[in-house]
């Protein structure tokens, strides 16, 4: 009797994961809103600059960096969504509506914590690549050696992304 009560309590304690799900979704929504506001700000800045006829020194770099920064936030929001959906699916219940939709099930095809971790790791790597690209936009290369380092870093990213694409495929 005591064992059954204890095991039931342990089993129900998994529902504490709902906190991570709810706040993960909240975090994702906040990031989607902030990223959208950032893009809106870049659009307004671009429009005002074009209308006024001004052309600031780093105009193009600033616009691209602003949009890439927003893409970075969108990717982090996607990480939070995958995290929240994965935790819910693994610890609480299958998502019935996703089971009814044809494409939704592919997005949420998470079968274990390792699978969830792999999905999140891939998106985090993409966040790092986007962040790298954003930083490079404002970098000045003064010597040929710096350009060589830049080329090597791009090559390393390309090789890493190539092998990342191979992971999990047969």
């Amino acid at each position: 009797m005591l064992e059954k009560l204890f095991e039931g309590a342990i089993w129900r304690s998994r529902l504490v994961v709902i906190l991570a799900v709810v706040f993960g979704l909240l975090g994702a929504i906040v990031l989607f809103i902030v990223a959208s506001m950032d893009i809106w700000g870049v659009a307004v800045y671009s429009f005002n600059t074009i209308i006024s006829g001004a052309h600031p020194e780093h105009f193009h770099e600033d616009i691209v960096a602003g949009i890439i920064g927003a893409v970075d936030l969108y990717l982090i929001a996607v990480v939070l969504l995958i995290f929240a959906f994965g935790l819910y699916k693994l610890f609480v219940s299958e998502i019935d509506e996703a089971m009814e939709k044809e494409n939704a099930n592919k997005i949420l095809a998470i079968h274990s914590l390792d699978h969830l971790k792999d999905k999140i790791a891939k998106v985090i790597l993409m966040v790092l690549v986007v962040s790298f690209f954003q930083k490079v936009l404002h970098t000045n290369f003064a010597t040929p050696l710096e350009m060589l380092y830049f080329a090597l870093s791009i090559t390393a990213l390309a090789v890493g992304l190539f092998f990342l694409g191979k992971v999990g495929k047969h």
Side-chain angles (χ1 to χ4, degrees):
M1 172 72 170
L2 186 60
E3 179 182 0
K4 187 173 182 161
L5 285 173
F6 184 69
E7 287 176 358
I10 289 174
W11 177 246
R12 284 184 295 282
S13 71
R14 80 190 190 292
L15 297 177
V16 76
V17 161
I18 290 176
L19 287 172
V21 172
V22 168
F23 287 103
L25 290 173
L26 180 62
I29 291 167
V30 167
L31 286 176
F32 278 124
I33 291 169
V34 169
S36 298
M37 290 171 53
D38 286 354
I39 289 181
W40 179 255
V42 168
V44 169
Y45 169 69
S46 300
F47 180 75
N48 289 337
T49 302
I50 291 168
I51 293 300
S52 70
H55 194 75
E57 185 177 345
H58 296 288
F59 180 64
H60 297 116
E61 292 90 347
D62 291 342
I63 290 171
V64 172
I67 291 173
I68 289 173
V71 168
D72 207 24
L73 291 178
Y74 284 135
L75 286 171
I76 295 168
V78 167
V79 167
L80 288 173
L81 282 177
I82 292 170
F83 175 74
F85 287 138
L87 283 180
Y88 187 87
K89 185 174 179 183
L90 289 174
F91 286 92
V92 180
S93 172
E94 290 284 336
I95 300 172
D96 296 333
E97 192 160 334
M99 301 304 283
E100 297 168 5
K101 307 279 188 231
E102 193 172 313
N103 291 335
N105 200 23
K106 293 176 188 171
I107 296 169
L108 302 177
I110 298 168
H111 308 292
S112 69
L113 283 175
D114 281 339
H115 196 227
L116 176 61
K117 181 184 70 171
D118 290 344
K119 279 186 176 264
I120 290 173
K122 286 180 180 180
V123 179
I124 288 173
L125 183 61
M126 290 309 300
V127 167
L128 294 174
V129 169
V130 169
S131 295
F132 172 77
F133 182 57
Q134 185 181 21
K135 300 283 187 274
V136 166
L137 284 174
H138 292 292
T139 303
N140 294 323
F141 301 104
T143 67
L145 185 60
E146 290 174 348
M147 287 297 291
L148 177 63
Y149 290 151
F150 176 60
L152 289 173
S153 64
I154 290 174
T155 303
L157 282 173
V159 169
L161 289 174
F162 172 77
F163 285 117
L164 185 64
K166 297 289 185 187
V167 172
K169 293 182 181 175
H170 303 292

